[in-house]
Structure formats: structure tokens, C-alpha cells
Amino acid sequence: KQWYQRRVRVVGERVDISIRETHPGSEWRYLGTQVTQPGGRVHFRVPERLGTGMYPVRCVVRGDMSTAEGFLAVVPPGTECVVFSIDGSFTLNKTLMGRDAKIRPGAVEVVRLWQELGFVIIYITARPDLQKESVLEWLGMHNFPHGIVTFSDGISPTDPLKDKTEYLIRLKSECKINVYAAYGSAKDI
């Protein structure tokens, strides 16, 4: 028997945003409240300077107390990264979700090598964030190294290549991150 979880986007809802320090035993610290925008997203500027690290973030919808959790990566300007487009570059076929999603030989080893060389790993996909759990599960199941994973805005992006390009431009211009190398499939060129 299969169970399907129906996800509903919340629009116009107040969401409390909290962050937790990375040291053991730290408590959730409230940062502020934001109202969800169309598509169910919140955009929030952290009101204080955080040190370098990966911070757990929790968003709680006030209306029904549902939660969404993720991580905030804080890296110093000039950090070098290697970007991997997930769709079609890690698999021999074009799907991550099918039963026959065979992994491309050497894919994990290439990512691991870049990580061992000290680069921040960024995984990018045109898939909507509604598939977050499935994609993260697939990466973990195949032992890909931890990294930053970013998804496309919206349910069905109309121009995935444009979305990925704009994300890479923002990494450089707003986050001051240097892309040292990037991997993708033929559709990413």
C-alpha cells in the first residue's frame, strides 16, 4: 500500500522564523515573523550577523503550527564552490525518482574529491522544492557528500536553464561566492 502526502502551499499566513546555533545543546532562537507570499514562500533577512557555519532554521506557521525546517549556510566572501546540476548529470537516465535511476559511474567520487579539496559543494536542480525530500533522500541513498541544495521557484519552472543561470549569477553578485567549476548535462549548456 502506498501513502501519498498532500502538500498545501500556505499563502498570506504569518510564519515565525527561528534559528539554532551549531553547538550542542543550543536552543531555538526566535528571529522574527514574516507573511508567506504567493507560492507559499517567505523571504527573510536575518537581522544580525552570524559567524561562518550551517545553521538549522525552523519556520512555524502560526495558523496550524505546521513546520518547515532547513539550513542556512553562512560562508565568507570569496568562498570557492563547485556546482553540480543534479538533473541528468548524476544518472544514466533522465530521472531521479524512477526505480531504474542508475547512478553514473564515478559521480559520487568526483563530488567527494572536490569536497576533500576544500570546496563548498552546491547541488542545483530545476525541480520544485516540493520534491525536496525525494531528492535529498536520493542523494543520501547514493552517499553523495553533504552540500548546499537549491531548488527552482514555483511548481513547474518554465525555463529551468534561466532559473539555474540566475541562481549562479546571484551566488557571485549577492553572496560573493566564486564558482570554481560546474558540472551539468548537455541541457545545462
Side-chain angles (χ1 to χ4, degrees):
K1 194 178 210 182
Q2 288 187 322
W3 292 91
Y4 295 94
Q5 180 179 11
R6 183 168 182 240
R7 295 174 189 240
V8 179
R9 293 194 184 268
V10 291
V11 179
E13 294 279 346
R14 294 175 63 81
V15 176
D16 293 330
I17 301 162
S18 300
I19 195 167
R20 193 171 65 205
E21 298 292 330
T22 56
H23 58 80
S26 63
E27 301 280 326
W28 286 103
R29 184 167 36 105
Y30 172 78
L31 293 179
T33 300
Q34 193 64 277
V35 176
T36 57
Q37 300 174 352
R41 293 182 181 270
V42 293
H43 294 275
F44 184 79
R45 183 171 295 277
V46 176
E48 60 191 74
R49 209 170 255 305
L50 299 171
T52 300
M54 291 287 279
Y55 295 87
V57 176
R58 176 181 287 162
C59 299
V60 180
V61 179
R62 284 189 180 178
D64 65 2
M65 301 304 286
S66 60
T67 63
E69 294 187 4
F71 289 89
L72 170 66
V74 179
V75 297
T79 295
E80 291 191 322
C81 71
V82 178
V83 177
F84 294 90
S85 174
I86 297 172
D87 305 292
S89 60
F90 288 153
T91 59
L92 293 171
N93 51 359
K94 300 291 184 200
T95 178
L96 287 183
M97 304 309 150
R99 289 184 184 174
D100 62 346
K102 296 176 180 72
I103 191 159
R104 187 175 300 280
V108 174
E109 291 78 8
V110 169
V111 180
R112 197 165 304 284
L113 174 66
W114 284 110
Q115 183 186 52
E116 289 170 1
L117 290 173
F119 291 89
V120 171
I121 302 300
I122 298 178
Y123 300 104
I124 187 170
T125 179
R127 295 173 181 278
D129 61 358
L130 289 173
Q131 295 183 15
K132 174 185 170 187
E133 289 176 29
S134 299
V135 171
L136 294 177
E137 182 180 311
W138 187 88
L139 289 169
M141 182 173 63
H142 292 287
N143 297 315
F144 279 94
H146 290 285
I148 298 168
V149 184
T150 184
F151 294 83
S152 179
D153 285 340
I155 293 176
S156 179
T158 55
D159 191 347
L161 183 57
K162 181 181 175 192
D163 289 350
K164 289 179 181 181
T165 302
E166 288 175 354
Y167 176 77
L168 293 174
I169 290 169
R170 283 194 312 271
L171 277 181
K172 179 78 173 156
S173 65
E174 295 174 21
C175 304
K176 309 298 185 225
I177 293 176
N178 297 323
V179 177
Y180 185 83
Y183 291 79
S185 65
K187 65 183 175 189
D188 291 321
I189 297 173

